[in-house]
Amino acid sequence: MAISRHKARLLLLGPAGLWYAALLVLPLAVVLVYSFGERAAAGGYAPAFTLAQYANLGSRWAAFKNTLVLAPAGTLAALLIAYPLAYFLAVRVNPKWRTALLVLVIVPFWTSILIRSYAWIYLLGGRGIPTLLADLGLGDWRLINTPFAVLVGIVYGYLPLMVFPVYVSLEKLDKRLLEAAADLGAPPWRSFLQVTLPLSLPGVATGSMLVFILLMGEYLIPQMLGGGKVFFVGNALVDLFLQSRNWAFGSAMSVTLVATMLVVVTLYMRFLKRIGAARDDIGVM
Amino acid sequence: MQDDKAPITRQKFIEELLRYRKGSVTRRHFLGVTGLGTAMAVMGGAMPLLSPRRAFAQDIGGEVVLATWPNYHDPANFDAFAAETGAAVQVNVFGSNEEMLAKLQAGGSGWDVFVPTNYTITTYVDADLIEPLDLSKLPNYDAAAFEARFADAGTVGGKLYAVPKNWGTTGMAWDSSKAKAPFTSWKEFFDVTMTDFSGRTMVHDYQLTTIGNALKYFGYSFNSIDAKELADAEKLLIDVKPHLFAITSDYQPAMRNGDAWLTMCWTGEGKQLNRDIPEIQFAVGKEGGEIWSDYYAIPKNAPHRDAAYALINYLIDPQVNAKEALAHGFPVADSRVNALLPPELLADPILHPAAELLNALEFGAAVTLTDPNRAELMARFKSA
Amino acid sequence: MTAPTRGEDESQAPVIAEFVDTTKRFGDIVAAERLNLQIRRGEFLSFLGPSGCGKTTALRMLAGLETPTEGRILIDGQDMGDAPAHRRPVNMVFQQYALFPHMTVAENVGYGLRQRRPRMDRAEIARRVDRALETVRLSDFGPRRIWQMSGGQQQRVALARAIVNEPKVLLLDEPMAALDAKLRGEMQMELLSLQRVLGITFILVTHDQQEALSMSDRICLMGQGRIVQIGTPRDLYDRPANRYAAGFVGSANMLDATVQSTADGQARVALADGSSVTVFSAGDRAAGDRVAIAVRPEALRLSVSDSVDAGATGFAATITHKTFLGEHIECLLHHPVLGQLQVNVPRQAERSLPGADVGRTVHVLWDHGSGLILGQD
């Protein structure tokens, strides 16, 4: 009995296991092997065993620095904007309008990020918002091709990914808990801090993870709104694989990026656990 | 043609945007024609299965696949070709020579004809990716009609691998209403960038031209791979970087809306900018710089070889080629075609710089493109 | 279990909460209409009625979770006006308890105390939490997580979380609805003794008439947003105001009748078959009035002999169903004119009814003075 159940479990895990092997483990293994190789004379990969690629990582320090500053900053900014929006949608809005408003949040996703970024190029460019600011007498602003423009672009581009998990966690929040808090003497802002916020942390965690991980690999928005001057690891990778075709170095950078992500995500999860958002506590009820 | 040699104009972009919104072109096509990504596109007449086959003098098959650059053909010519031969032209649009090379190297590209730039042809020959052309199948080709400098890169080891399509230069375009004096040299380009034009200049996101023109600042060869000379160029680029508006090959939007005042610029686009906004002027550096020439070539294992020859032969027919030139605006090397073009086009100082300026220019070399040190230099510059 | 009879004492106690012409409308729907009710200090009052009758709305208006559309709510003499829930000296035990899942048992219980401003001393909070947990017999459960607690334990945590604040009124919204029957009985006992110990006014909302009858000092019976009857459990049971009250609390035989004569709060009425019975009559009735009368099934008797006692009226009827219910047997009988009659026969009376089986025609005996004339619905 125990054995057949064991077998059945293996059978069920089979497809998932294959999926992981084919789509996750295998490519990562290839990248890992390549990262110890060399650039072939005409570009590409030549087998070798050297740590030279890793030793050269310092030459891309700025890309790592930009990514590690702007990815968390973008995540935080997206969260600060998404949370009130999600709260409004989940708690305040008349349910009659809720679906329509939720759809509006996704509508931008129906258009290519490329086109939307072009819109921002014009908005943040000299004839856009800076003209407006100048007309209002607020001084001479250069917005396009700055880290700020990239931040605007990534927050804009990834906002829906943050809104939805937060919305879901707020939407399933039992409204009677807030009534209970009020009944026990908590004014609305305190019951928000003591009940709503902690109970929506799983959504905050999911959204932040999602946005952060995608931002770590972002390259299109920095390319378009950073004018090639705000350089992410993703941009360095695109150059390495498509322009200079140094696959070995590109692989070493990819491995480093993945390792960095793992470290950051682990630290973040630990932090979340410590502030009491352990899944078990919230999953039930 | 190089990386985004003819990135799209704003007007064209909006047109493409509308087509894309209407769903009449795919996202990939949109990416391709806007010069923003490697793209595959299906253009007019690309659904041969839907149109009934007629009987043609010579059966070359129902389709032919062309890998080329954005805005580089007159679509009406493809329609005429299809009507004449029964082979619909399927167009794949590319953003850089590197991407083209990567795609062919990966194998299974399915291309019949593609458009490599002069300095890549030896690399394709060395990698055994293209085949010598059978001139008997190209009766419209007349070697005598070409200036040697625009044609000789097509011959490698005595064999003809590619026939010339168009040529052009890489210079600088600036907003004359902001400049104290017209730009004439790469020295001025970089010096003014670090002073009066700080925050208003763009360089290409392309090592060949950006490093090449930085080398010209010091009077070195555009194609230098000398370590000391490259170190000088790197120092210049790093010093200049804080003063740059952008590092991009998609420089037209910023020039047109006034965010940027000066940019490295390819001929055709210099012409487009000048035509739409007369204050924007174009010149090549007097120290020299790049001159380039694009070719038609046929990859090894082309699935429709007969159609490939037929298409090249058709497009280099002087009458057809003249229509192409009128549509895309790039200079043509074929004297038979120039005889058919309006004289003011040939007299245009942007398209056809004075001989002494032209003579100072250098063709890119194969090693310039493949040199790992130049690639690494560019990467350091961008991530600095 | 017997209902406490402290009714008289409460009538002397001061009013702690009061509804004055209180109306609540949700759009077109009137959830509560012109409620007028005084609740006295220390009283155990139940709002009883079916779902949708307005009892929960009444409770939520007291808690401040709903604002009356019209009329007023007073707590301890103070007009609550628009005072939000967090400023009202009442606490509530919610239907599904609404315990905070991200807090421990002790944190849940101490939540209200932590909201106090100026802040209450931490040690004092801990002491009061411990005492509250002790009161609900959960002394060692403070560090537990909510999801580690059983349903009954969660219920007690909810209770502790409310009483720890020493509210002037404790509101209980169907607190036992989620418990199984046995646990519910135990909790009812605990609640009652708790109320006696604490002396806090309890207001319970329930749809369970048994629960209301057994626990309440007074019951406020509601129907369709209005108060139908307010009284002690005995009042409600023995003197239901109308058909609705008679039918909702316990079961009753309801019959049409015509008044023949009235005297000393009693009336002689004629039933449809021409026989007459003497029933309690509260209002002014005159001979000839058409009225509805009700009599409880346990107030009627059965007899297999033909003789009818002097103080009773007899009806010959045929037994159609007999259902054994433990302490009594529920008999349904058919009378050719009056229709169906229900008689509950106590176990010990069964022995005197040999042969009273289904199909047998027997006599239903209605003692004079049993039953009453019902008011208008």
Side-chain angles (χ1 to χ4, degrees):
Chain A
M1 200 52 203
I3 288 170
S4 76
R5 189 176 295 170
H6 181 67
K7 272 186 184 160
R9 189 175 301 163
L10 279 182
L11 222 69
L12 286 171
L13 283 177
L18 275 179
W19 191 91
Y20 273 108
L23 296 177
L24 188 73
V25 178
L26 207 63
L28 269 180
V30 170
V31 169
L32 192 65
V33 169
Y34 274 24
S35 72
F36 295 108
E38 287 172 343
R39 181 187 195 266
Y45 163 76
F49 187 80
T50 167
L51 291 173
Q53 310 303 341
Y54 287 96
N56 193 24
L57 281 174
S59 68
R60 300 294 191 280
W61 164 240
F64 278 102
K65 193 188 71 185
N66 280 335
T67 310
L68 283 172
V69 170
L70 282 170
T75 308
L76 188 68
L79 178 63
L80 290 179
I81 296 172
Y83 200 102
L85 178 60
Y87 185 84
F88 174 76
L89 288 172
V91 181
R92 293 289 151 139
V93 149
N94 184 336
K96 201 165 55 174
W97 301 110
R98 194 171 286 157
T99 312
L101 288 171
L102 278 172
V103 169
L104 282 182
V105 174
I106 336 174
V107 161
F109 264 6
W110 296 351
T111 312
S112 157
I113 180 72
L114 202 66
I115 294 169
R116 290 181 281 142
S117 297
Y118 256 99
W120 278 109
I121 287 181
Y122 289 105
L123 275 175
L124 297 173
R127 298 206 180 153
I129 292 167
T131 309
L132 201 71
L133 293 175
D135 289 350
L136 293 172
L138 294 175
D140 181 20
W141 290 87
R142 296 261 186 93
L143 300 178
I144 190 68
N145 297 354
T146 60
F148 173 76
V150 174
L151 195 64
V152 168
I154 58 187
V155 167
Y156 169 78
Y158 288 99
L159 197 62
L161 289 183
M162 188 68 94
V163 169
F164 276 91
V166 176
Y167 168 80
V168 168
S169 69
L170 284 171
E171 204 267 333
K172 73 176 184 197
L173 178 79
D174 186 348
K175 305 296 180 291
R176 279 173 306 193
L177 295 179
L178 301 180
E179 290 186 347
D183 180 69
L184 292 166
W189 62 271
R190 236 190 282 154
S191 75
F192 173 81
L193 288 179
Q194 293 167 345
V195 179
T196 309
L197 194 60
L199 288 178
S200 64
L201 277 183
V204 169
T206 309
S208 304
M209 273 299 97
L210 216 58
V211 171
F212 176 76
I213 288 171
L214 287 173
L215 283 186
M216 289 288 282
E218 180 60 45
Y219 78 95
L220 189 69
I221 295 170
Q223 176 67 35
M224 295 191 68
L225 297 176
K229 291 167 66 192
V230 184
F231 203 66
F232 273 37
V233 175
N235 300 82
L237 287 173
V238 168
D239 276 5
L240 281 170
F241 282 99
L242 288 184
Q243 297 281 348
S244 51
R245 296 186 307 118
N246 188 344
W247 292 9
F249 189 32
S251 297
M253 253 186 111
S254 301
V255 170
T256 311
L257 181 64
V258 170
T260 312
M261 261 190 235
L262 277 179
V263 169
V264 175
V265 168
T266 310
L267 288 177
Y268 183 66
M269 288 312 221
R270 226 178 254 177
F271 165 74
L272 278 184
K273 235 173 212 162
R274 244 190 39 208
I275 61 172
R279 185 180 47 81
D280 288 354
D281 293 2
I282 289 163
V284 181
M285 267 190 78
Chain B
M1 289 291 287
Q2 294 131 343
D3 186 8
D4 296 350
K5 176 133 300 170
I8 196 157
T9 64
R10 184 161 60 172
Q11 187 193 355
K12 183 74 179 164
F13 179 83
I14 297 299
E15 280 169 21
E16 288 294 345
L17 180 62
L18 291 173
R19 291 174 65 200
Y20 174 53
R21 283 262 184 77
K22 281 189 299 192
S24 59
V25 293
T26 63
R27 176 169 185 266
R28 293 178 74 96
H29 167 77
F30 178 74
L31 288 173
V33 297
T34 52
L36 291 158
T38 307
M40 309 279 290
V42 179
M43 284 172 66
M47 296 210 272
L49 293 178
L50 295 179
S51 52
R53 295 286 304 277
R54 285 188 281 137
F56 297 99
Q58 187 193 6
D59 191 358
I60 58 170
E63 69 166 350
V64 56
V65 181
L66 169 67
T68 185
W69 310 106
N71 306 323
Y72 213 25
H73 298 277
D74 182 353
N77 286 332
F78 294 146
D79 294 343
F81 177 75
E84 204 169 287
T85 64
V89 183
Q90 189 183 320
V91 179
N92 293 353
V93 180
F94 274 75
S96 77
N97 274 297
E98 285 85 343
E99 285 175 32
M100 260 191 193
L101 174 59
K103 179 92 181 171
L104 266 189
Q105 259 179 333
S109 68
W111 301 344
D112 300 309
V113 179
F114 74 117
V115 184
T117 306
N118 53 288
Y119 46 81
T120 61
I121 294 171
T122 54
T123 307
Y124 286 116
V125 173
D126 291 346
D128 200 21
L129 291 169
I130 57 176
E131 59 176 42
L133 295 177
D134 178 355
L135 278 180
S136 71
K137 292 180 178 170
L138 296 172
N140 287 334
Y141 179 67
D142 176 7
F146 294 92
E147 252 183 83
R149 61 176 161 187
F150 298 130
D152 56 14
T155 303
V156 180
K159 286 186 197 157
L160 181 72
Y161 283 90
V163 293
K165 174 170 163 33
N166 294 93
W167 65 273
T169 61
T170 307
M172 58 202 90
W174 68 93
D175 182 342
S176 59
S177 68
K178 308 286 185 193
K180 289 175 181 151
F183 285 81
T184 61
S185 68
W186 292 111
K187 178 119 180 44
E188 288 166 8
F189 180 95
F190 286 107
D191 285 343
V192 175
T193 293
M194 288 188 276
T195 53
D196 293 353
F197 274 29
S198 182
R200 300 294 187 178
T201 299
M202 295 181 284
V203 298
H204 289 165
D205 185 6
Y206 194 49
Q207 68 92 348
L208 195 95
T209 45
T210 292
I211 296 176
N213 292 329
L215 286 163
K216 291 318 291 185
Y217 178 95
F218 300 99
Y220 303 142
S221 164
F222 181 85
N223 288 311
S224 175
I225 53 168
D226 177 84
K228 194 246 162 211
E229 293 176 5
L230 286 178
D232 287 344
E234 179 170 4
K235 184 170 182 313
L236 173 65
L237 288 173
I238 303 266
D239 287 346
V240 138
K241 192 179 179 190
H243 301 284
L244 291 178
F245 175 72
I247 302 165
T248 178
S249 301
D250 184 24
Y251 45 78
Q252 284 210 35
M255 286 301 287
R256 286 172 182 270
N257 77 7
D259 275 334
W261 301 343
L262 173 65
T263 184
M264 288 185 187
C265 183
W266 283 296
T267 329
E269 294 194 80
K271 182 64 196 159
Q272 288 164 17
L273 286 167
N274 175 257
R275 183 188 61 214
D276 298 343
I277 305 170
E279 296 85 72
I280 297 181
Q281 298 182 1
F282 176 93
V284 294
K286 69 182 177 201
E287 310 97 323
E290 191 199 14
I291 183 169
W292 50 266
S293 179
D294 282 343
Y295 292 75
Y296 288 116
I298 298 178
K300 277 252 161 99
N301 307 319
H304 316 98
R305 184 176 284 102
D306 289 339
Y309 276 106
L311 179 63
I312 295 176
N313 193 49
Y314 181 81
L315 291 173
I316 62 175
D317 176 302
Q319 294 291 341
V320 176
N321 205 350
K323 282 189 230 160
E324 294 270 289
L326 287 173
H328 59 59
F330 284 96
V332 184
D334 191 330
S335 58
R336 298 171 299 166
V337 176
N338 285 334
L340 299 171
L341 292 174
E344 64 270 23
L345 212 59
L346 301 175
D348 189 294
I350 293 179
L351 296 177
H352 298 272
E356 74 271 19
L357 289 171
L358 208 54
N359 290 335
L361 300 176
E362 296 166 80
F363 278 96
V367 68
T368 312
L369 187 71
T370 54
D371 180 48
N373 292 327
R374 284 182 68 127
E376 189 57 21
L377 191 166
M378 186 67 186
R380 284 195 300 268
F381 161 58
K382 283 174 72 178
S383 69
Chain C
M1 170 152 185
T2 53
T5 51
R6 289 178 293 149
E8 277 113 85
D9 296 337
E10 256 75 51
S11 65
Q12 313 303 321
V15 172
I16 189 81
E18 187 171 7
F19 291 86
V20 182
D21 281 337
T22 316
T23 296
K24 177 69 187 177
R25 279 189 284 269
F26 296 103
D28 295 339
I29 299 157
V30 183
E33 189 168 12
R34 297 182 77 81
L35 306 184
N36 282 290
L37 172 66
Q38 293 186 331
I39 299 143
R40 295 183 178 278
R41 175 166 295 161
E43 187 178 19
F44 195 129
L45 179 122
S46 297
F47 282 106
L48 175 66
S51 62
C53 72
K55 58 188 192 298
T56 298
T57 303
L59 195 75
R60 289 172 61 83
M61 285 194 287
L62 268 180
L65 299 173
E66 307 286 358
T67 315
T69 315
E70 285 160 28
R72 289 184 298 155
I73 300 246
L74 288 87
I75 295 176
D76 208 8
Q78 298 236 309
D79 188 339
M80 285 294 114
D82 292 333
H86 66 270
R87 295 221 189 87
R88 298 198 181 192
V90 299
N91 286 112
M92 179 132 142
V93 176
F94 287 80
Q95 200 172 98
Q96 304 291 336
Y97 317 137
L99 297 172
F100 304 121
H102 57 303
M103 299 181 194
T104 62
V105 167
E107 284 165 353
N108 264 279
V109 174
Y111 188 84
L113 299 178
R114 290 200 303 278
Q115 306 310 316
R116 298 247 176 119
R117 296 294 181 275
R119 285 175 189 277
M120 184 181 275
D121 178 51
R122 262 196 207 175
E124 177 63 17
I125 292 178
R127 201 157 44 237
R128 293 198 192 191
V129 167
D130 282 348
R131 206 166 57 211
L133 285 174
E134 201 177 317
T135 310
V136 298
R137 298 192 288 121
L138 286 176
S139 289
D140 298 328
F141 290 82
R144 294 265 186 115
R145 291 285 174 179
I146 294 305
W147 51 269
Q148 294 174 310
M149 309 291 277
S150 71
Q153 289 171 331
Q154 291 190 12
Q155 215 264 1
R156 284 192 242 156
V157 176
L159 201 55
R161 186 176 69 171
I163 61 171
V164 77
N165 305 300
E166 296 169 353
K168 288 184 173 161
V169 181
L170 181 70
L171 309 173
L172 302 114
D173 185 8
E174 305 256 13
M176 262 84 74
L179 303 179
D180 63 56
K182 188 163 177 293
L183 206 51
R184 195 180 309 155
E186 288 172 18
M187 276 314 299
Q188 287 172 357
M189 300 275 275
E190 276 191 42
L191 264 185
L192 270 180
S193 55
L194 191 65
Q195 198 235 354
R196 290 206 186 99
V197 170
L198 299 173
I200 298 177
T201 309
F202 276 34
I203 301 181
L204 172 77
V205 158
T206 181
H207 66 274
D208 180 340
Q209 48 148 320
Q210 223 54 55
E211 192 167 286
L213 290 174
S214 63
M215 299 178 75
S216 318
D217 295 323
R218 282 197 303 155
I219 294 173
C220 173
L221 178 68
M222 295 189 69
Q224 296 187 317
R226 298 178 198 209
I227 295 175
V228 174
Q229 187 173 5
I230 304 168
T232 63
R234 276 165 192 273
D235 284 343
L236 251 78
Y237 195 81
D238 293 341
R239 301 282 181 258
N242 55 21
R243 278 172 179 269
Y244 174 81
F248 193 83
V249 182
S251 47
N253 295 292
M254 284 183 255
L255 300 162
D256 293 323
T258 309
V259 177
Q260 292 174 309
S261 62
T262 61
D264 300 335
Q266 292 209 323
R268 184 110 190 126
V269 298
L271 300 180
D273 68 336
S275 58
S276 55
V277 293
T278 303
V279 295
F280 176 80
S281 172
D284 278 345
R285 305 290 176 189
D289 283 358
R290 306 277 302 164
V291 292
I293 61 167
V295 63
R296 296 286 179 197
E298 67 271 18
L300 298 176
R301 291 179 291 133
L302 291 187
S303 166
V304 288
S305 73
D306 288 341
S307 65
V308 174
D309 314 3
T313 306
F315 308 86
T318 310
I319 300 175
T320 57
H321 293 90
K322 271 179 83 171
T323 310
F324 177 71
L325 289 173
E327 68 230 35
H328 69 263
I329 296 104
E330 185 184 290
C331 297
L332 294 181
L333 301 98
H334 181 75
H335 183 276
V337 178
L338 302 179
Q340 181 170 287
L341 294 170
Q342 183 188 337
V343 180
N344 291 351
V345 180
R347 277 305 286 282
Q348 60 268 38
E350 194 186 11
R351 260 171 271 133
S352 61
L353 294 168
D357 298 319
V358 171
R360 171 89 182 267
T361 301
V362 296
H363 274 93
V364 176
L365 302 180
W366 185 324
D367 293 316
H368 296 321
S370 292
L372 79 165
I373 295 179
L374 296 170
Q376 293 294 308
D377 277 350

